[in-house]
Amino acid sequence: MKKATSGSPGSPRPAKTRTSAKYKRARVRHFLFTVGPNRLSGGRVMRRHLSQDVVVRHIEASSPRWPKAFDGLRIGHVSDFHLGELLPLDRALAIVGQLGDQQPDLVACTGDVVDLRHDEAAPLLDALAALKAPMGAALVLGNHDELHCADTVSRLARDAGVNVLRNDVLEVHFNGQLLTIGGIHWAKSARACARNIDETCGEGVDLLLSHNPKAFQRAADRNIPLTLSGHTHGGQIAMKNRPNANIAIGHRHRAGLFSRGHSRLYVTSGVGAWFPLRINCPAEIAIITMRHADETAAPSDQGHQSKRRSRKRMR
Ligand SMILES: [Fe+2]
């Protein structure tokens, strides 16, 4: 396995500090939506939040563009740990253990590893790498990682042995075959995501990791067979049995599996949270089995949901 091409390697990004306006706004939000309600409830809000199940969701998807050699590849997709007050390290490590129980071929983490602090990121990233998935672990950063410590999270991940993709393409050689994985910087708009994809993906990649699902528009334009994203948390509050009907109103692709042409997108609801409430939208680990489909398979433009899920109560 090696880092192959780099769209804009080490693109200089402005360093965030703990005094940046965005970081201050995030702290205020954290106080208003987490610390305040928890204090007012005598700690009940957090206790209830931390006792909720984490679901293992199994998804099957297929595309004629997916390499035949990797038909049936099982990707363990986790996202949005938001390690910190809302997801303590012991619970995060238990989730990684739950992921390991599924024995994925490849681990993909689509960002927001940390939230407002990064002092416990190293053991979590070490645990992801220690799963020793046969095709390794790859990570893109999210907006919460970028708030003040993107370079630190990135360094800790690399030290652990996780492949960090910041507008990079990773070539994974496995059983004599090659799978290309592109990963892009956090970007807020579809247009900025598209720019990152254009800068990074060259001739195209087999798998794209983007924290923001808004990358899917350009990914589908470029016939990238599979894009994995997080960021929306599935809105955290959704209508019963309608995961995509949720409060992540700034997004078209809010939760679940989507198709356009021969391209597929899976948006995970994530394992963590940025406020301590989930309704009809459990935290999840996604196990995605990706199939090579017949070229004659009819292209689809529909969103649809995963097939099956199993529950396991966190300790
Ligand atoms: Fe997030």
Side-chain angles (χ1 to χ4, degrees):
M1 196 182 308
K2 67 166 185 161
K3 199 69 152 293
T5 57
S6 226
S8 54
S11 304
R13 312 206 93 205
K16 304 289 194 310
T17 70
R18 283 171 181 248
T19 55
S20 74
K22 275 187 180 176
Y23 186 80
K24 283 179 180 166
R25 277 201 298 274
R27 285 205 72 86
V28 170
R29 231 179 10 242
H30 181 65
F31 187 83
L32 289 177
F33 289 103
T34 301
V35 179
N38 191 46
R39 279 186 193 162
L40 287 173
S41 70
R44 222 176 44 204
V45 164
M46 282 298 291
R47 278 198 297 278
R48 186 176 172 278
H49 172 68
L50 292 174
S51 69
Q52 285 182 321
D53 292 346
V54 174
V55 161
V56 177
R57 203 181 291 275
H58 295 266
I59 300 104
E60 278 218 15
S62 64
S63 164
R65 299 277 174 172
W66 184 254
K68 225 176 201 164
F70 291 97
D71 178 53
L73 186 82
R74 294 175 74 252
I75 306 168
H77 179 201
V78 284
S79 194
D80 298 85
F81 280 91
H82 288 262
L83 185 65
E85 222 165 309
L86 282 160
L87 186 70
L89 180 63
D90 58 346
R91 183 172 163 89
L93 294 177
I95 290 169
V96 173
Q98 203 177 341
L99 169 63
D101 290 346
Q102 299 297 319
Q103 300 187 313
D105 300 310
L106 170 72
V107 169
C109 181
T110 47
D112 280 1
V113 175
V114 297
D115 200 332
L116 297 173
R117 44 185 260 218
H118 59 266
D119 49 306
E120 290 181 318
L124 171 58
L125 294 161
D126 285 345
L128 278 175
L131 292 179
K132 298 219 177 297
M135 294 176 67
L139 165 74
V140 288
L141 301 184
N143 49 318
H144 284 259
D145 303 311
E146 294 278 0
L147 262 180
H148 69 104
C149 59
D151 290 341
T152 305
V153 172
S154 181
R155 177 176 52 77
L156 293 172
R158 286 191 174 117
D159 289 351
V162 174
N163 294 288
V164 185
L165 303 178
R166 303 177 80 181
N167 277 11
D168 291 312
V169 174
L170 177 73
E171 287 185 350
V172 183
H173 296 271
F174 189 69
N175 287 342
Q177 303 291 334
L178 171 68
L179 186 82
T180 53
I181 306 172
I184 59 170
H185 284 310
W186 155 254
K188 194 171 183 179
S189 67
R191 184 178 294 187
C193 288
R195 244 190 334 261
N196 282 337
I197 292 172
D198 291 346
E199 282 178 18
T200 304
C201 293
E203 306 275 292
V205 292
D206 303 312
L207 170 62
L208 177 70
L209 307 183
S210 167
H211 185 62
N212 194 341
K214 287 180 180 171
F216 186 56
Q217 295 172 30
R218 180 57 59 96
D221 290 345
R222 295 179 63 121
N223 280 317
I224 293 173
L226 179 62
T227 300
L228 300 181
S229 293
H231 184 52
T232 64
H233 300 197
Q236 293 192 206
I237 298 172
M239 287 178 71
K240 201 168 184 181
N241 301 322
R242 291 181 60 199
N244 200 45
N246 62 51
I247 64 168
I249 51 174
H251 291 267
R252 179 177 168 205
H253 305 108
R254 299 173 191 170
L257 183 63
F258 300 88
S259 297
R260 202 186 112 198
H262 292 318
S263 297
R264 310 290 173 257
L265 165 71
Y266 188 72
V267 184
T268 177
S269 298
V271 295
W274 65 267
F275 60 93
L277 182 66
R278 280 185 177 270
I279 299 175
N280 298 324
C281 181
E284 70 170 26
I285 294 166
I287 304 295
I288 297 156
T289 303
M290 193 61 191
R291 299 270 175 206
H292 170 82
D294 197 302
E295 189 68 47
T296 56
S300 165
D301 291 292
Q302 299 169 10
H304 51 98
Q305 296 301 320
S306 51
K307 304 271 174 160
R308 172 168 77 82
R309 68 187 197 183
S310 58
R311 283 176 178 272
K312 182 175 178 182
R313 182 168 286 281
M314 299 304 304
R315 289 175 297 276

